[in-house]
Amino acid sequence: MENIQQGTDVVFERLVAARREQVVALQKAQSKELADLETRGQSRLASLKKTLPKELAAYLTKQEEAESKVAAAALKDSETAAARLAEAEASESTALQLVLGNGPAAAAVGWLSPYYGTLHGSDGSVYWQGYNPGNIDASCYANGAGSGIFGTGVGSFTVYMDWWFTFNAPENRNYAQTVYVPFNGFYIVRADDGWFDSKQASVDISLSATGYQYNYKPTGNANVLSVGNDNINVNDRFDGWRTMYYSDLLGADRAYLLVSAKLSVYARGGGSTAQLDFASGNANYLGVPLVYVS
């Protein structure tokens, strides 16, 4: 059996490379979609101004210019909220001991910890990559601009944190895999939609799990945080273990499991802002996930 820790597992290396190609493709698609949306929106906005009465068109232009001041004030408020939340201590109401104590009674394989991880950013960067991942600092933010009409002035960013697990299945059968991911961080969502603009902000965190043995298994998904609206002003902590369930049919051989946390932020229109922070201060980070295989 090849030694993964020495980097000689050819199957695993191919899986990591394929996953990187997949994330890059997702990043490029997101960037192109936003650019196309901005181009079309600006064209429609210019056409709208030509059809409006001069007074109304002038008012719209004036409002767009004023959005920069609104955005500056909103950014200052967000920085104040972020500083307060970064200093808060994370709640440990669902401590690791409780998670370990609530696993299934009959263990076929038992508890797994990740042996490899990759932190991808939607700007194409790899922020961190390596074996035996510990606590990970991850954050993303987005600020909107302009009126937001026709989908213009959008800011958006996505971070993917991948954790890879492996185990030897002892027999041919279906295996249940319970995934536990610890979060310690906070979020800020702010948008103030008016009568002649179109503003919105949102944050979203989802988990996914994909098995592999000889071929890829179906992917399971679970949303663990979704906050957003066109009129919203929310800032709060996001702490504790989040759980998802996954299963796949395996033979008596080595199997792999990719667990990924997707952090997404979206803001449209001046003054709109969205932030997910699992990095600032000592209390904020993505902890080490665990998987129980039975």
Side-chain angles (χ1 to χ4, degrees), residues 78-284:
S78 295
E79 290 174 348
T80 300
R84 174 178 56 81
L85 292 168
E87 293 174 356
E89 291 298 326
S91 171
E92 295 296 339
S93 58
T94 51
L96 176 59
Q97 289 79 6
L98 295 177
V99 174
L100 295 175
N102 290 334
V109 176
W111 289 100
L112 306 177
S113 58
Y115 65 87
Y116 197 83
T118 305
L119 179 62
H120 314 261
S122 63
D123 58 355
S125 302
V126 173
Y127 299 134
W128 182 87
Q129 190 169 28
Y131 290 97
N132 303 314
N135 294 336
I136 298 294
D137 289 337
S139 64
C140 52
Y141 68 91
N143 296 314
S147 65
I149 295 175
F150 299 133
T152 57
V154 170
S156 178
F157 204 85
T158 302
V159 169
Y160 301 87
M161 179 58 209
D162 291 344
W163 294 281
W164 291 90
F165 300 80
T166 188
F167 62 95
N168 291 318
E171 57 185 313
N172 301 342
R173 64 175 178 82
N174 194 72
Y175 287 83
Q177 296 153 64
T178 307
V179 179
Y180 300 90
V181 181
F183 291 89
N184 299 281
F186 62 89
Y187 60 90
I188 297 172
V189 190
R190 180 179 289 111
D192 185 12
D193 193 42
W195 73 276
F196 210 74
D197 52 36
S198 179
K199 300 180 182 181
Q200 189 174 2
S202 63
V203 295
D204 186 271
I205 301 177
S206 60
L207 299 176
S208 65
T210 306
Y212 182 91
Q213 189 189 63
Y214 317 129
N215 55 21
Y216 288 101
K217 308 299 181 181
T219 297
N221 296 281
N223 183 269
V224 296
L225 177 69
S226 184
V227 178
N229 211 327
D230 53 2
N231 278 295
I232 189 170
N233 187 4
V234 176
N235 56 83
D236 203 355
R237 290 200 57 83
F238 185 71
D239 299 305
W241 295 78
R242 299 301 187 272
T243 306
M244 71 170 295
Y245 301 95
Y246 183 76
S247 65
D248 52 5
L249 183 62
L250 302 172
D253 203 346
R254 174 174 290 180
Y256 303 86
L257 178 68
L258 168 63
V259 173
S260 184
K262 178 182 177 183
L263 314 179
S264 299
V265 292
Y266 174 94
R268 185 180 70 234
S272 299
T273 185
Q275 181 176 354
L276 287 168
D277 195 314
F278 297 91
S280 298
N282 294 328
N284 301 298

Side-chain angles (χ1 to χ4, degrees), residues 66-78:
E67 292 298 344
S68 60
K69 295 181 179 180
V70 174
L75 180 60
K76 185 176 181 180
D77 290 343
S78 295

